[in-house]
Amino acid sequence: MGRSILIVDDEPVMLETIKYFLENAGLEVVTATSANEALEILKKRSFHVMTLDLQMPGMSGLELCRHIRRENSISWLICLTGYRSLFDISECRDAGFDDYYVKPPDFPLLVDNVIRAFERIERWKKT
């Protein structure tokens, strides 16, 4: 499967910025602008690491996270939100997120944590 990551965000500038930083770190980045588009992509391929925006039209990132967790319990799911007051960390943890960032994130920190998530998954697969 390699180090490919799915980024789901309905804000084009944020989506492209995250993609830029992760591609520069050597990752293959697949993007979706909605939860429904992400679900269509997930029917065709799987990802061990994903970042999900919380506030999107239609299905929210919380709902998408719960859906992914039902299908894939080992993936590392990262929450991104510009609406800290609407979504608290405990609600995100309960939905199944492994990490939480407020937009705009510290991009180098996000990249470092994504790389560590891949390393964790690779270590888990060896046991």
Side-chain angles (χ1 to χ4, degrees), residues 23-120:
E23 283 180 338
N24 282 337
L27 303 175
E28 177 197 0
V29 178
V30 176
T31 62
T33 58
S34 70
N36 287 334
E37 184 181 355
L39 290 173
E40 287 301 313
I41 291 168
L42 289 168
K43 287 179 184 176
K44 298 174 187 134
R45 7 181 351 186
S46 57
F47 297 86
H48 285 307
V49 180
M50 293 172 250
T51 70
L52 312 177
D53 181 20
L54 289 184
Q55 187 70 28
M56 296 183 288
M59 182 187 298
S60 74
L62 283 173
E63 293 171 271
L64 178 58
C65 179
R66 289 182 189 110
H67 179 82
I68 292 169
R69 280 288 175 231
R70 283 191 299 271
E71 303 295 321
N72 187 346
S73 62
I74 198 169
S75 287
W76 192 267
L77 301 176
I78 300 167
C79 161
L80 287 168
T81 185
Y83 299 93
R84 174 182 249 165
S85 62
L86 293 179
F87 301 99
D88 67 13
I89 293 172
S90 63
E91 184 178 17
C92 292
R93 291 290 298 160
D94 289 345
F97 280 105
D98 299 295
D99 210 342
Y100 180 96
Y101 290 87
V102 175
K103 292 180 185 177
D106 174 333
F107 291 105
L109 178 62
L110 176 64
V111 170
D112 287 346
N113 285 330
V114 165
I115 298 297
R116 279 198 294 257
F118 278 109
E119 291 169 352
R120 283 183 196 103

Side-chain angles (χ1 to χ4, degrees), residues 9-16 33 53 55 82-83 103:
D9 200 308
D10 65 326
E11 295 176 48
V13 172
M14 184 59 60
L15 191 67
E16 287 304 313
T33 58
D53 181 20
Q55 187 70 28
Y83 299 93
K103 292 180 185 177

